[in-house]
Amino acid sequence: MAAPAGRRRGAPGHVAAPSPTWPLADAPRVPRRVPSPPQPCGPDPKMAAPSERRNGGGAWAVLLLAAVALRPAEAVSEPTTVAFDVRPGGVVHSFSQNVGPGDKYTCAFTYASQGGTNEKWQMSLGTSEDHQHFTCTIWRPQGKSYLYFTQFKAEVRGAEIEYGMAYSKAAFERESDVPLKSDEFEVTKTAVSHRPGAFKAELSKLVIVAKASRSEL
């Protein structure tokens, strides 16, 4: 005798469980992950460009020149880089270089330091294409200086400073620049210098971006 429809043969007294009868529309669903849309490459559009510089406002282009000064090899004009010795002994020393048409700009580094031996430093100068801005970067290529600076001043002639920064440690290999605290130095229209009583004697790099003074325009 054939088994009744809807039932399966099995052991005596055993009734097979019926097949599920829920509609497909009510079947349990496994949520699918919707892939996120691809993100555009490049800088985050929400990150606004800075609109001010240290010690004053001004054009964003000048900050770009400051970035150039941090990497002298990529200056707008071919930079002039000169090596010089920073000598300890507590005596005031000075080193200067000129740049621009007719040597119209001058950058001078005056300092006094103690401890250790002479260190090889470099001064790099470059100008914008229109020669209305120039950059002066003074630094120790090996990174951190181990001299004890009692004073320092980086000053410009023929221009007015629009951006100035001092660092206790210069970038080297995988290490980054370490800026001085804001109360350790001051920036005027013509110089970046130590602040007596607050400067902690560590210096490895100075960056200046200056614009032609009114008398030079």
Side-chain angles (χ1 to χ4, degrees), residues 15-70:
V15 178
S19 300
T21 58
W22 57 69
L24 291 178
D26 297 329
R29 297 171 184 246
V30 178
R32 293 186 303 167
R33 289 189 62 184
V34 178
S36 302
Q39 297 299 318
C41 297
D44 186 348
K46 296 180 181 178
M47 299 293 290
S51 59
E52 295 184 354
R53 298 186 307 278
R54 178 180 178 82
N55 292 292
W60 170 239
V62 177
L63 270 183
L64 294 181
L65 279 173
V68 167
L70 297 178

Side-chain angles (χ1 to χ4, degrees), residues 30-169:
V30 178
R32 293 186 303 167
R33 289 189 62 184
V34 178
S36 302
Q39 297 299 318
C41 297
D44 186 348
K46 296 180 181 178
M47 299 293 290
S51 59
E52 295 184 354
R53 298 186 307 278
R54 178 180 178 82
N55 292 292
W60 170 239
V62 177
L63 270 183
L64 294 181
L65 279 173
V68 167
L70 297 178
R71 294 183 293 178
E74 297 179 10
V76 174
S77 65
E78 188 66 25
T80 300
T81 301
V82 181
F84 65 98
D85 286 334
V86 170
R87 295 172 286 175
V91 179
V92 175
H93 297 281
S94 184
F95 179 82
S96 64
Q97 286 291 303
N98 300 321
V99 70
D103 292 337
K104 66 186 295 186
Y105 302 124
T106 300
C107 183
F109 177 48
T110 303
Y111 67 92
S113 64
Q114 297 179 348
T117 58
N118 291 4
E119 291 183 347
K120 288 291 184 182
W121 283 47
Q122 292 183 352
M123 177 183 286
S124 184
L125 298 95
T127 65
S128 59
E129 290 182 346
D130 60 4
H131 302 296
Q132 294 306 303
H133 287 88
F134 89 97
T135 64
C136 176
T137 307
I138 305 160
W139 83 106
R140 184 171 190 248
Q142 288 75 26
K144 182 176 175 59
S145 170
Y146 294 97
L147 298 178
Y148 183 95
F149 285 85
T150 56
Q151 61 177 278
F152 75 84
K153 177 187 285 188
E155 56 186 329
V156 299
R157 291 189 285 273
E160 295 182 355
I161 294 175
E162 294 200 334
Y163 176 93
M165 183 59 70
Y167 302 83
S168 62
K169 188 175 183 179

